[in-house]
Amino acid sequence: MTGRDWLSAVTSGSWSEAFGDRSGPRVTLEPEGPLAPGELRSLLSRVGDELNAVTSDVSGAVIAVETSDPFANLVVSLSAWSLGAIVVPIDPATPPQRREQMLRTAGANAVVAVDRDRTNAEAYRPSRLADTERPDLGDQPGYVMFTSGSTGVPKGVHVRLDNLCTRIATFAEYLEFTERDSIPSLSSPSFDISWVETLVPLLAGGEARFPRRTARTNVGALVRWLAAQPPTVIQATPTMFGLMASLGWSPSAATSVWSAGEALPGRLANELAATAGAVWNHYGPTEAVIYATTWRYTHTLGEGSAPTGQPIAPSTYRIERDEHGDGELLLGGLLAEGYVGNRSATDEAFVLRDGVRMYRTGDVFEEGPDGLAFLGRRDSQVKVRGVRIELGDVEAALRRVTGSHQVAAVAVPDRAGTVNLVAVLAGDHHDPDDLRRRIADELPPLYRPSRYVVLGEDLPRTVSGKLDRATVVRLLRDGAATAGDPR
């Protein structure tokens, strides 16, 4: 089925057409067991009625989905899209103040919070939000995915459903995912790669697996689950694959590994490819609708990161070099609409080149024999545990809780190559344990520093007066700081 066909079926609520009466996708929940297509269709229809009852007076409703359960997010999203609505996935662990900011920015009309009874339509009853002002999101269904913002305010990336369906369909076709394949949903719904895990098997007719929460949140439990029932495809960040490998896991020859969310170290790629049937390295920011390029492992890699390969149609690219010769990657062909309620940020990031709309990734790339190769970031955005984080966002939170401007957030790899987020503060009056407690009210778990380090002097600055993060990282490596308890 093409992306256009599936889009038509979903937006019209034609679940028999979308999933088929007898064939179609296989949905397996744990501990509930296999879910028949008829059960899924019935659940979607009933949840759609629940949503419609609360938002029927709103044209193009915006519905927030507050859950850590990928299946619950899928049910709400499909039901909402059938009503022409826009969904906003929100991590339940998001601090209240940040959550309210996200709801206001997206103009959410209702919130659905699901933490149990996910096969019961009554668990999906939405709460109506009063006094919400809808931003200009057009008249097409889709989603708003929030990413980190440099000013301390999260940015909402608006993506239309037709673009998402195109991406999912072309991705499934390119990687030859068929009705014989299965993939588990391991990613948080607030992480856009989760759409791949839930929608690819539905569109292609394969099996969508939804393991227990413990398998999604505990690496040891995940390794045991995979050993008992290995899927044909598994998607995760390199950090997660590294943790799994450290516990003795290795993919079987019948498993295709999809690495995503951050740079894939060459050594890890070699280790995975030694036993896996295939290893793919995917690249793409949220603004380019999940993935824009991919590379299949074909030969042993040395130091550095694995290539990111070639564009996945209809994505296109160009590399623009600055005065230093560094080449920034620009992506086109399949893009987000922009940042909700932030016209200046949208205009700065989405630009026209020779009449073609393109997104400035801020990533430095070069072209090589294996296609595109990632060299690093031009700004202060980093990937930590697969999540894109703006260091300025973390620093803004640190300034709020400390009342000091002498703060820095840096990403530092450990000896194993795992990137850790470290908070660095000047002075000797900071209590790391107290900061950990207070920062929990400001930032989601994945955005919180894993270490707090105190420098006994002012933080280093560049000639222009800006924070010199490179020197901060060097000081950390040289041991010229006092580390707080890294619990």
Side-chain angles (χ1 to χ4, degrees):
M1 182 180 292
T2 67
R4 184 180 297 275
D5 292 338
W6 206 68
L7 171 70
S8 175
V10 169
T11 53
S12 64
S14 301
W15 306 123
S16 294
E17 180 182 348
F19 305 138
D21 288 318
R22 295 182 180 177
S23 57
R26 302 182 306 282
V27 176
T28 302
L29 308 178
E30 291 189 355
E32 296 91 341
L35 195 66
E39 293 179 271
L40 180 58
R41 292 197 303 270
S42 175
L43 179 61
L44 291 171
S45 296
R46 293 180 61 193
V47 173
D49 291 341
E50 295 277 359
L51 299 179
N52 188 53
V54 173
T55 63
S56 59
D57 61 325
V58 180
S59 177
V62 179
I63 301 173
V65 192
E66 200 166 14
T67 183
S68 61
D69 184 352
F71 178 74
N73 183 72
L74 173 67
V75 169
V76 176
S77 298
L78 290 174
S79 301
W81 290 334
S82 72
L83 303 175
I86 291 174
V87 296
V88 186
I90 296 180
D91 188 333
T94 302
Q97 183 177 357
R98 190 181 184 94
R99 172 183 178 272
E100 291 303 315
Q101 176 67 46
M102 294 164 71
L103 293 175
R104 287 196 303 270
T105 299
N109 307 109
V111 176
V112 181
V114 185
D115 59 0
R116 52 191 172 82
D117 297 333
R118 57 185 177 177
T119 59
N120 186 348
E122 294 183 358
Y124 293 84
R125 287 180 177 173
S127 299
R128 181 66 182 262
L129 297 178
D131 302 324
T132 58
E133 182 178 349
R134 188 184 191 276
D136 183 12
L137 296 174
D139 58 358
Q140 298 295 318
Y143 64 89
V144 172
M145 192 72 68
F146 278 89
T147 64
S148 184
S150 59
T151 62
V153 178
K155 292 189 295 186
V157 181
H158 174 212
V159 177
R160 292 203 322 255
L161 180 60
D162 58 347
N163 283 339
L164 174 62
C165 289
T166 297
R167 174 66 78 211
I168 294 299
T170 55
F171 189 74
E173 181 180 7
Y174 190 90
L175 273 73
E176 299 180 344
F177 191 99
T178 71
E179 66 277 0
R180 296 184 297 276
D181 289 308
S182 60
I183 182 172
S185 286
L186 305 176
S187 304
S188 166
S190 60
F191 191 4
D192 65 344
I193 71 172
S194 63
W195 293 127
V196 171
E197 297 165 352
T198 56
L199 297 182
V200 163
L202 293 191
L203 187 147
E207 181 185 12
R209 294 185 181 179
F210 297 89
R212 296 174 185 268
R213 176 181 174 83
T214 51
R216 292 185 283 109
T217 58
N218 182 282
V219 181
L222 174 60
V223 168
R224 291 190 294 273
W225 181 82
L226 290 171
Q229 43 189 335
T232 65
V233 174
I234 180 170
Q235 174 184 254
T237 64
T239 296
M240 177 59 73
F241 281 129
L243 290 172
M244 292 162 61
S246 70
L247 294 180
W249 174 83
S250 60
S252 72
T255 299
S256 179
V257 171
W258 294 357
S259 178
E262 58 190 355
L264 173 63
R267 289 187 178 183
L268 178 58
N270 294 336
E271 184 177 349
L272 294 171
T275 59
V279 173
W280 292 85
N281 185 34
H282 308 315
Y283 163 83
T286 303
E287 290 85 346
V289 194
I290 313 175
Y291 300 136
T293 74
T294 191
W295 176 77
R296 181 170 181 170
Y297 184 99
T298 56
H299 57 83
T300 302
L301 300 176
E303 297 295 331
S305 302
T308 56
Q310 300 294 335
I312 305 169
S315 289
T316 60
Y317 79 92
R318 67 186 290 167
I319 294 177
E320 290 189 348
R321 300 196 178 277
D322 60 18
E323 64 275 15
H324 304 294
D326 293 331
E328 179 184 13
L329 180 69
L330 275 66
L331 294 171
L334 201 60
L335 300 175
E337 300 303 283
Y339 302 113
V340 179
N342 196 335
R343 174 52 56 186
S344 61
T346 298
D347 292 342
E348 182 178 356
F350 295 85
V351 296
L352 287 179
R353 293 293 186 267
D354 299 327
V356 177
R357 184 171 183 261
M358 307 196 83
Y359 170 67
R360 299 184 59 184
T361 66
D363 290 333
V364 179
F365 272 77
E366 67 178 6
E367 294 175 291
D370 293 308
L372 292 168
F374 173 70
L375 300 182
R377 289 289 304 171
R378 292 189 63 185
D379 53 23
S380 61
Q381 282 187 356
V382 297
K383 283 288 185 73
V384 179
R385 298 184 292 278
V387 176
R388 186 177 59 173
I389 294 175
E390 179 74 42
L391 295 177
D393 193 0
V394 180
E395 290 168 354
L398 289 170
R399 287 192 292 269
R400 288 195 294 269
V401 300
T402 63
S404 170
H405 289 281
Q406 290 274 55
V407 300
V410 294
V412 182
D414 59 20
R415 292 181 179 178
T418 300
V419 176
N420 296 293
L421 189 61
V422 181
V424 183
L425 310 100
D428 56 4
H429 60 283
H430 299 292
D431 181 351
D433 287 333
D434 180 60
L435 290 177
R436 284 190 191 89
R437 289 190 293 269
R438 296 169 64 188
I439 208 72
D441 293 329
E442 298 284 340
L443 296 171
L446 290 177
Y447 289 63
R448 299 171 193 166
S450 58
R451 291 177 58 209
Y452 289 81
V453 175
V454 179
L455 285 174
E457 56 188 26
D458 290 345
L459 298 184
R461 302 280 170 175
T462 64
V463 174
S464 62
K466 296 180 180 180
L467 175 67
D468 189 349
R469 286 196 180 88
T471 299
V472 171
V473 172
R474 179 179 59 78
L475 290 173
L476 290 175
R477 289 173 175 168
D478 291 344
T482 301
D485 179 1
R487 288 175 297 180

